[in-house]
Amino acid sequence: MRFFALQKLADRKPVNVETPEEKLSDYYGVYVFNKKKMQEYLPDEAFEAVVNAIEKGTPINVKIADQVAEGMKNWAKAHGATNYTHWFQPLTDGTAEKHESFINTTSDGNVIEKFSGKLLIQQEPDASSFPNGGIRNTFEARGYTAWDVSSPAFIVGDTLCIPTIFIAYTGEALDYKTPLLRALAAVDKAATRVCNLFDKNVTKVAANLGWEQEYFLVDKALFDARPDLCLTGRTLMGHSSAKDQQLNDHYFGSIPPRVKYFMKELEIECHKLGIPAKTFHNEVAPNQFELAPYFEEANLANDHNLLLMDLMKRTAHKHNFEVLLHEKPFAGVNGSGKHNNWSLSTNTGINLFAPAKTPEGNMLFLTFIVNVLMMVYKNQDLLRASIVSAGNSHRLGAHEAPPAIFSIFLGKHLNETLNRLEENIGNAKMTPEEKKALKLGIGRIPEILLDNTDRNRTSPFAFTGNRFEFRAVGSSANCGAAMTVINAAMAEQLNDFKSQVDDLCTQGISKDEAIFKVIKKLIQQSRNIRFEGDGYSENWNMEAEKRGLTNIPKVTEALLKYKSGQSQKVLLGEKIFTMSELESRIDVELEKYTKKVQIESRVLGDLAINHIVPTAVLYQNRLLENLRGLQAIFPTEEFRTIAQDRIDLVKDISKRVTAIKILVRDMIEARKKANRMASPLDKAREYENEVNPYLEKIRDHIDHLEMEVDDEIWPLPKYRELLMNN
Ligand code: ADP
Ligand code: MG
């Protein structure tokens, strides 16, 4: 398999991609049913209704829905679509769809068109096998998808895709989108109320998301020759390559032609689907790359990210690549994350995280920044719960990605400004100095902060001039989970802020003073979450502990914090989840963890026993044959001297083969025990604590054998081949 794959690789030619003849503006969004298309294909009445639904959330009636369905279908057919599907985000990885044809044949041989408002608005996919954490018994199997008007329909291949939420017949959320929409509504409401303390013209606050997708590209033939990559998305074994990222030459290097063509095609396809992709570049590890678009409103941005992950895989195949979205496909080289750049902006065009030119504007800015500090401080555990997973656990806490401890990097100037404000905590009125600080100090921030220093790169939650960058999200994750939690927690914090200000006002304190007082208090209370130093250092671990910041390395324990007192205050209090939705969500995440480790353990057991051990024994037999030959012609004394290295090697191979066999047997026993656990929590804990550790131990022996056995017979593509051959 390995040599066959390497031969294919040697014969690869870049697959050329032509630049489109039309201008970018002509093909941008051709496959999206955006406002422009709606205006063209919908009656005025329907167009207005949809715009109102998008902007104000007004419901759409059946008559209008029929008109929209008709227009949408006509547009889609004009672009070659013959099917439609509700496109939704179940709690698995990725998205799901159930295709239906626009036309049906009737029993008398005629064809009828079937796509009505009813079918646009709601579908009932036969979705009994999607994870639901006990909300929906499989025999009931009733889940509904319902149209999300705020995200435009689009065409992929011959299918019109309609973004939808996915809920149980009882109305409970079974997906990532529903809670996200609830959280976005909650933060809109809470932030608008706080903005109204400063400016009555603000009627809407949108949460924005700009993700940065990291990924690896591996040649398709080599990928196919690695069952672990095919089945688990990561390599479960493989000795490190003599050269990988030590020289940092990939980061600055030019992009190889094969990859360049892939990126070019991906960019064109993104643009046709209205995904505003803008930067493509190399990442730290060999064969690692990143794609970042312009930021968008969070719900749309997340849909676009999910669509992109799918598009990447399809485009990669055309170029004989496989895309690896796993957080840690290769041990010992950098893993992949998906930084979530997050900001809040008003309908009046103000970015609430951007410093303003005037002291008044900066009071608004400061209000939001300080509330973010407090939000993260109070909700460290909830934020962590939203990003942990089997894959991400290999990345977090390692010396490359954000530590499992939460802290916020603000940058020198903003940090000093807050320190100065805090020193004057007793004063309700702004001192002239503080006024000056607001005017000058913050006014200077942008230039300095926009320059990303190395230090701020180690921060899991960094202020980068006009947004916060949440860096702990995994590359394969649905950003919806993190975005739901951040925005819900921000809503809760802003509501708390507003009521504290209101309380002071009812005591006769002026509004400005009240705001200032609460800001100072929050600066003081959240002080421990601010950290400007190196997040990867040992010292920080100790200091964080002294500060009382939490550090929960275990996935299962981290997930349980979805239910902590503070988390419930946010998630139930802001009506993001009901208690049963919350509990089911935790169960689904635990089960996902269990299944991933279970699959990895099975695949490794199989590879170890059926691929590696036989190869090692084969090589050992060759050595034995060699030894017998030497023994036949050399006197005993001399034989011992010249053959000792091979005798040692035979022994070492024996030792490792035996160890592998014992470890695999014990791992299977541990799995059996874990499988008998009834509750999702006990099972996941057992997998994490008792099964998972075997993976590393077995791998260690295999990686040693890889260095000992003849390269000619090693069955699996090696790291140097997987990582270096573009
Ligand atoms: P870096 O790698 O230095 O973080 P990139 O240019 O790769 O920078 O990514 C920056 C990301 O931040 C992009 O996705 C961009 O759209 C996003 N972004 C920029 N401004 C904002 C903002 N105000 N709100 C949300 N995201 C933003
Ligand atoms: Mg970034």
Side-chain angles (χ1 to χ4, degrees):
M1 247 332 236
R2 172 166 165 240
F3 287 95
F4 177 65
L6 288 171
Q7 189 53 51
K8 273 197 158 174
L9 179 70
D11 297 340
R12 291 271 189 244
K13 301 262 177 313
V15 180
N16 196 0
V17 174
E18 300 291 339
T19 310
E21 280 172 16
E22 309 114 283
K23 289 199 305 273
L24 171 59
S25 54
D26 288 338
Y27 66 84
Y28 191 88
V30 275
Y31 294 136
V32 186
F33 196 56
N34 54 22
K35 274 191 191 158
K36 207 173 120 208
K37 268 54 150 300
M38 285 185 208
Q39 206 157 20
E40 191 183 326
Y41 280 87
L42 300 185
D44 290 349
E45 181 193 16
F47 175 71
E48 266 165 44
V50 173
V51 171
N52 276 334
I54 295 170
E55 283 166 9
K56 301 189 193 115
T58 25
I60 284 179
N61 64 36
V62 179
K63 182 179 145 227
I64 296 286
D66 276 334
Q67 293 178 358
V68 177
E70 182 66 20
M72 212 184 252
K73 183 190 70 192
N74 291 336
W75 166 76
K77 281 170 70 179
H79 286 82
T82 51
N83 296 298
Y84 69 94
T85 181
H86 277 194
W87 182 79
F88 58 103
Q89 305 170 20
L91 299 171
T92 49
D93 296 339
T95 53
E97 32 201 81
K98 183 196 175 199
H99 293 230
E100 306 267 4
S101 174
F102 281 132
I103 35 182
N104 255 11
T105 44
T106 55
S107 50
D108 53 10
N110 289 322
V111 285
I112 50 156
E113 297 236 320
K114 87 166 214 236
F115 186 60
S116 60
K118 228 175 100 208
L119 293 169
L120 165 67
I121 291 178
Q122 189 173 308
Q123 246 189 8
E124 187 183 339
D126 174 23
S128 49
S129 52
F130 289 112
N132 60 73
I135 278 188
R136 188 168 42 98
N137 290 324
T138 23
F139 63 84
E140 288 167 326
R142 278 161 70 197
Y144 291 101
T145 51
W147 183 28
D148 170 16
V149 191
S150 61
S151 183
F154 54 90
I155 296 172
V156 172
D158 61 4
T159 304
L160 168 70
C161 301
I162 300 152
T164 54
I165 56 168
F166 180 41
I167 49 176
Y169 70 101
T170 47
E172 282 151 318
L174 296 171
D175 66 350
Y176 285 110
K177 195 190 246 290
T178 308
L180 176 61
L181 291 174
R182 290 175 187 158
L184 294 174
V187 81
D188 172 11
K189 198 165 150 211
T192 301
R193 283 174 69 216
V194 171
C195 285
N196 287 157
L197 289 169
F198 301 83
D199 179 358
K200 293 277 178 235
N201 294 320
V202 175
T203 54
K204 185 168 170 58
V205 174
N208 306 304
L209 165 64
W211 40 263
E212 300 164 51
Q213 179 73 53
E214 291 183 330
Y215 61 96
F216 281 83
L217 281 179
V218 170
D219 186 84
K220 181 88 177 81
L222 293 176
F223 174 89
D224 287 341
R226 291 279 314 214
D228 49 354
L229 274 180
C230 296
L231 297 175
T232 73
R234 74 177 179 110
T235 55
L236 298 172
M237 58 186 71
H239 196 281
S240 57
S241 168
K243 174 178 180 290
D244 45 49
Q245 64 190 46
Q246 303 96 320
L247 301 177
N248 270 325
D249 44 358
H250 180 70
Y251 199 40
F252 302 106
S254 60
I255 298 177
R258 264 183 85 192
V259 178
K260 234 185 220 158
Y261 283 126
F262 157 76
M263 286 180 171
K264 186 169 164 189
E265 181 160 4
L266 182 59
E267 183 170 18
I268 296 168
E269 293 305 313
C270 277
H271 289 161
K272 287 183 180 167
L273 280 165
I275 304 173
K278 79 177 161 87
T279 56
F280 291 80
H281 61 76
N282 287 355
E283 270 301 321
V284 180
N287 281 6
Q288 192 187 25
F289 307 93
E290 180 188 290
L291 185 159
Y294 282 103
F295 69 91
E296 299 174 291
E297 183 278 317
N299 176 42
L300 182 61
N302 191 40
D303 282 359
H304 278 165
N305 180 243
L306 290 160
L307 185 54
L308 172 94
M309 291 198 278
D310 199 44
L311 186 60
M312 277 175 126
K313 289 183 196 157
R314 279 184 281 120
T315 311
H317 289 167
K318 291 195 202 162
H319 295 264
N320 301 306
F321 282 124
E322 197 68 51
V323 164
L324 309 184
L325 293 171
H326 193 282
E327 284 76 12
K328 193 79 178 174
F330 304 100
V333 294
N334 259 36
S336 301
K338 181 149 56 195
H339 294 176
N340 276 206
N341 293 269
W342 169 68
S343 66
L344 296 174
S345 58
T346 67
N347 60 308
T348 55
I350 294 170
N351 174 353
L352 294 165
F353 298 156
K357 294 224 158 54
T358 61
E360 299 74 44
N362 275 333
M363 273 309 274
L364 181 63
F365 163 69
L366 208 56
T367 298
F368 276 87
I369 294 291
V370 167
N371 276 294
V372 172
L373 292 177
M374 196 61 192
M375 178 275 281
V376 176
Y377 180 61
K378 286 198 301 195
N379 297 288
Q380 299 157 50
D381 290 346
L382 178 56
L383 290 175
R384 187 187 299 103
S386 76
I387 53 95
V388 289
S389 66
N392 215 11
S393 67
H394 297 282
R395 176 177 164 262
L396 293 181
H399 267 232
E400 50 159 290
I405 307 165
F406 275 83
S407 63
I408 298 189
F409 174 96
L410 283 181
K412 188 156 168 274
H413 273 75
L414 189 50
N415 206 33
E416 280 172 4
T417 305
L418 296 191
N419 286 344
R420 252 177 287 152
L421 292 175
E422 196 193 334
E423 276 163 25
N424 260 315
I425 195 95
N427 289 355
K429 280 211 166 57
M430 243 192 247
T431 63
E433 260 192 359
E434 284 165 339
K435 282 194 181 144
K436 211 168 125 206
L438 278 183
K439 203 168 189 167
L440 296 177
I442 298 179
R444 282 210 310 269
I445 291 164
E447 301 86 45
I448 294 168
L449 281 171
L450 288 173
D451 163 28
N452 277 330
T453 64
D454 271 348
R455 270 190 311 142
N456 108 26
R457 294 223 161 253
T458 70
S459 174
F461 211 95
F463 180 61
T464 45
N466 58 3
R467 62 191 187 267
F468 283 90
E469 191 166 333
F470 185 23
R471 301 205 173 112
V473 184
S475 49
S476 70
N478 182 319
C479 305
M483 279 292 121
T484 297
V485 156
I486 288 186
N487 289 298
M490 190 64 181
E492 191 264 348
Q493 174 55 35
L494 289 168
N495 285 332
D496 190 39
F497 174 83
K498 175 75 167 48
S499 53
Q500 289 193 46
V501 171
D502 289 349
D503 276 355
L504 290 175
C505 289
T506 53
Q507 292 164 31
I509 298 177
S510 81
K511 191 183 72 188
D512 286 353
E513 276 179 37
I515 293 173
F516 199 49
K517 227 178 154 138
V518 180
I519 285 183
K520 282 183 165 187
K521 195 166 100 192
L522 292 180
I523 294 176
Q524 198 181 39
Q525 287 175 341
S526 66
R527 161 154 277 290
N528 280 341
I529 201 76
R530 275 154 59 195
F531 179 59
E532 302 286 305
D534 178 0
Y536 298 169
S537 70
E538 268 305 308
N539 288 346
W540 170 231
N541 269 301
M542 291 185 307
E543 157 140 16
E545 199 180 328
K546 263 193 240 147
R547 290 187 184 192
L549 300 178
T550 57
N551 183 1
I552 309 174
K554 289 255 155 86
V555 175
T556 44
E557 309 311 319
L559 277 173
L560 288 185
K561 296 293 179 187
Y562 257 128
K563 247 175 89 174
S564 74
Q566 173 59 26
S567 300
Q568 289 194 35
K569 217 166 142 192
V570 167
L571 297 173
L572 307 184
E574 294 301 324
K575 302 207 165 19
I576 311 303
F577 291 123
T578 61
M579 194 57 178
S580 86
E581 282 175 323
L582 182 57
E583 285 179 336
S584 78
R585 194 136 309 222
I586 297 171
D587 281 355
V588 168
E589 292 300 331
L590 289 168
E591 279 167 11
K592 234 162 44 183
Y593 179 84
T594 295
K595 284 184 187 147
K596 295 232 159 136
V597 179
Q598 188 179 54
I599 293 169
E600 288 185 352
S601 149
R602 283 182 183 157
V603 172
L604 183 63
D606 168 34
L607 283 178
I609 301 299
N610 300 320
H611 292 60
I612 305 303
V613 167
T615 307
V617 171
L618 184 71
Y619 182 58
Q620 195 184 36
N621 283 339
R622 281 201 203 163
L623 291 171
L624 288 172
E625 198 180 322
N626 173 262
L627 286 170
R628 273 192 297 269
L630 292 173
Q631 200 171 21
I633 56 170
F634 288 105
T636 310
E637 259 323 283
E638 204 178 345
F639 166 71
R640 288 230 169 267
T641 334
I642 61 168
Q644 193 55 48
D645 62 309
R646 267 141 292 170
I647 295 172
D648 291 344
L649 193 50
V650 167
K651 280 192 199 154
D652 195 65
I653 292 176
S654 274
K655 188 188 90 187
R656 294 195 185 279
V657 164
T658 309
I660 289 174
K661 290 205 156 173
I662 292 172
L663 285 166
V664 170
R665 188 195 63 203
D666 292 352
M667 176 171 74
I668 292 171
E669 285 310 310
R671 228 160 54 207
K672 282 187 189 156
K673 182 163 168 247
N675 291 343
R676 283 196 292 271
M677 303 281 160
S679 85
L681 174 60
D682 290 342
K683 201 183 260 185
R685 274 195 175 134
E686 196 75 10
Y687 264 96
E688 182 161 36
N689 299 325
E690 305 301 331
V691 179
N692 198 42
Y694 282 106
L695 295 174
E696 274 307 300
K697 289 185 201 157
I698 295 170
R699 171 190 190 136
D700 185 57
H701 288 294
I702 297 178
D703 291 355
H704 274 97
L705 286 173
E706 186 185 319
M707 287 290 100
E708 293 172 349
V709 171
D710 183 359
D711 183 67
E712 285 285 323
I713 57 170
W714 193 255
L716 303 173
K718 296 185 170 182
Y719 267 30
R720 63 162 190 268
E721 294 153 353
L722 292 166
L723 283 169
M724 289 297 178
N725 272 306
N726 281 317

